[in-house]
Amino acid sequence: MKKNGFIFDLDGVIVDTAKYHYLAWKNLANKLGFEFTEEQNELFKGVSRKRCLDILLQIGGVTATQKQFDHWMGEKNKEYLQYIENMDASEILSDVPKVLHFLKEKNIQMAVGSASKNARPILEKVGLISYFNTIIDGNNVTKAKPDPEVFLLAAQELGVRPQECVVFEDAVAGIQAAKNASMTSIGIGDAKILAEANYNFRDFTEISLDFLNAVIYE
Ligand code: B16
Ligand code: MG
């Protein structure tokens, strides 16, 4: 079936904002008196802000009142916003523009499907927002990946059936969400970790235009 819609996750697919999330969570952990490692940060990829704080507090053995919880989420986001304030096109992951440009030329509908509530400002800062027909992010969904809500909503906004959509994802839960939405998935990152994806690539430099053509018309 011809694929008429391509949906991109944001963090880990278009830009590497995980490093900024990490710094902000690490500083909060340190303020609360414990360490937070880069390895532990892997657990946070593709996970909502609220769920990240749940996990962080569990790691530190810290219990919080609702008021403290909300305050710490706000603190983390304030710091994260300072990091992304300085982002520009140099932070776009290699060869992502090549793929966006190719799909645009082919009149393929494109969306972002991200857990982040900061997806729009990031896409504006790096100058890619105009490629996308719609952006579905943490502000639009109630159910986190692996629930297919984010991708189904994106397909609906694009006016394309789920079976006609291809999803680029770097998180296991995101690949599962694509599968649950009956979409074709392309895993970006470690093929062993993302084994459930229909196709796997380390990054976009490995993706050829011939491959994209084959996926569109398969
Ligand atoms: P925010 P993605 C996700 O982005 C990140 O991978 C995850 O680490 C983060 O907690 C989440 O966005 C929420 O981000 O605090 O900006 O709302 O991979 O779904 O694009
Ligand atoms: Mg991601």
Side-chain angles (χ1 to χ4, degrees):
M1 182 187 293
K2 168 143 191 271
K3 303 296 186 297
N4 292 308
F6 274 64
I7 306 172
F8 294 73
D9 175 52
L10 180 66
D11 177 30
V13 169
I14 295 177
V15 285
D16 175 23
T17 34
K19 59 185 180 214
Y20 300 134
H21 283 297
Y22 172 62
L23 284 176
W25 285 125
K26 184 180 157 56
N27 284 339
L28 177 63
N30 293 165
K31 235 189 283 178
L32 298 177
F34 62 95
E35 276 309 317
F36 176 58
T37 66
E38 272 190 79
E39 205 180 3
Q40 289 166 329
N41 190 56
E42 287 299 310
L43 299 171
F44 284 24
K45 292 192 174 170
V47 174
S48 74
R49 195 183 309 164
K50 183 181 170 302
R51 181 81 194 107
C52 288
L53 184 54
D54 279 332
I55 304 171
L56 191 83
L57 295 181
Q58 220 174 346
I59 291 171
V62 174
T63 46
T65 63
Q66 189 59 49
K67 206 170 154 211
Q68 282 173 318
F69 192 95
D70 293 344
H71 176 68
W72 291 335
M73 273 220 302
E75 292 263 285
K76 183 269 169 181
N77 194 50
K78 221 182 340 171
E79 187 175 337
Y80 179 67
L81 288 176
Q82 283 172 5
Y83 295 127
I84 63 172
E85 183 61 34
N86 300 318
M87 283 182 84
D88 60 25
S90 67
E91 301 215 33
I92 300 169
L93 292 172
S94 293
D95 276 3
V96 168
K98 170 192 84 179
V99 171
L100 292 174
H101 188 72
F102 177 78
L103 295 172
K104 196 88 192 161
E105 294 265 285
K106 292 221 156 249
N107 280 321
I108 300 281
Q109 297 283 300
M110 285 189 274
V112 166
S114 163
S116 174
K117 293 187 170 176
N118 298 303
R120 271 174 195 279
I122 293 169
L123 288 165
E124 270 161 20
K125 294 233 168 283
V126 302
L128 292 180
I129 198 143
S130 62
Y131 277 103
F132 299 102
N133 304 89
T134 188
I135 291 157
I136 306 295
D137 63 19
N139 299 296
N140 309 105
V141 294
T142 52
K143 292 174 226 133
K145 301 167 189 174
D147 190 283
E149 184 184 20
V150 62
F151 296 142
L152 290 175
L153 214 54
Q156 194 182 319
E157 288 281 309
L158 294 180
V160 171
R161 284 180 297 162
Q163 294 87 341
E164 296 170 50
C165 289
V166 179
V167 172
F168 289 103
E169 254 293 348
D170 73 314
V172 176
I175 296 293
Q176 289 166 343
K179 204 174 182 180
N180 291 336
S182 304
M183 298 179 179
T184 300
S185 60
I186 302 180
I188 302 294
D190 189 329
K192 278 198 218 101
I193 296 173
L194 305 174
E196 287 180 68
N198 294 106
Y199 303 97
N200 290 91
F201 295 98
R202 177 84 251 150
D203 55 40
F204 278 75
T205 65
E206 286 186 356
I207 300 182
S208 71
L209 302 184
D210 284 347
F211 165 77
L212 288 175
N213 249 326
V215 172
I216 293 170
Y217 296 106
E218 75 185 350

